[in-house]
Amino acid sequence: MESDLLVRGGVIVAFLALVWVLSDWGRYGARLRRAGEGLHLVAPQPPSPVGPPIERIAADARRIRAEIKQAPPGAPVARMRGWLAAYDDVLVSACERLGIEQRLVQLAPGPVRDLERERVERMLVRAGFPLASAG
């Protein structure tokens, strides 16, 4: 009789423990994964990307590039400088996401930076980054 009561009590405790763990599985699962990584039983998860999705970066690059290419001859210099600065920022973001080396952030505006921008554009296109508009 006592063993029967002990078995039933054990089953109830096991069931309650299971419900408790399942109700908070995200936290327990993360702990188990970290323990497995620490013991080298599980491969570490790749780092999650930081920043906007690469698709949005590509769309921004295409949009700003089109604005620069379609600028009328009498466009204000400040507007062109703003577009170029925004375009360079987007190119730098794309390079960071794709692991491409660039020197745009170190160069002052001028012909050397323009050449670096063209080099970065070529490298991004080679890496499969869509700079030209699809249509």
Side-chain angles (χ1 to χ4, degrees), residues 68-120:
I68 293 169
K69 298 264 186 215
Q70 296 171 359
V77 174
R79 182 178 296 166
M80 289 301 296
R81 285 182 185 161
W83 280 338
L84 284 174
Y87 187 57
D88 288 348
D89 289 345
V90 170
L91 292 179
V92 168
S93 295
C95 288
E96 288 172 353
R97 290 296 295 275
L98 297 175
I100 295 174
E101 186 180 329
Q102 54 78 27
R103 294 183 308 267
L104 284 170
V105 293
Q106 295 131 357
L107 298 174
V112 175
R113 186 174 181 144
D114 295 341
L115 289 173
E116 175 64 7
R117 186 180 303 114
E118 290 178 17
R119 185 191 73 82
V120 167

Side-chain angles (χ1 to χ4, degrees), residues 50-62 89-91 93-95 97 129:
V50 177
I54 195 73
E55 294 85 5
R56 192 170 106 205
I57 295 172
D60 289 345
R62 286 191 302 269
D89 289 345
V90 170
L91 292 179
S93 295
C95 288
R97 290 296 295 275
F129 187 79

Side-chain angles (χ1 to χ4, degrees), residues 21-36:
V21 169
L22 288 178
S23 68
D24 202 10
W25 178 248
R27 188 169 51 179
Y28 288 109
R31 286 180 182 170
L32 284 172
R33 180 150 190 82
R34 281 194 307 270

Side-chain angles (χ1 to χ4, degrees), residues 4-19:
D4 186 40
L5 185 60
L6 194 58
V7 169
R8 287 182 184 185
V11 169
I12 290 172
V13 168
F15 177 74
L16 290 175
L18 179 67
V19 168

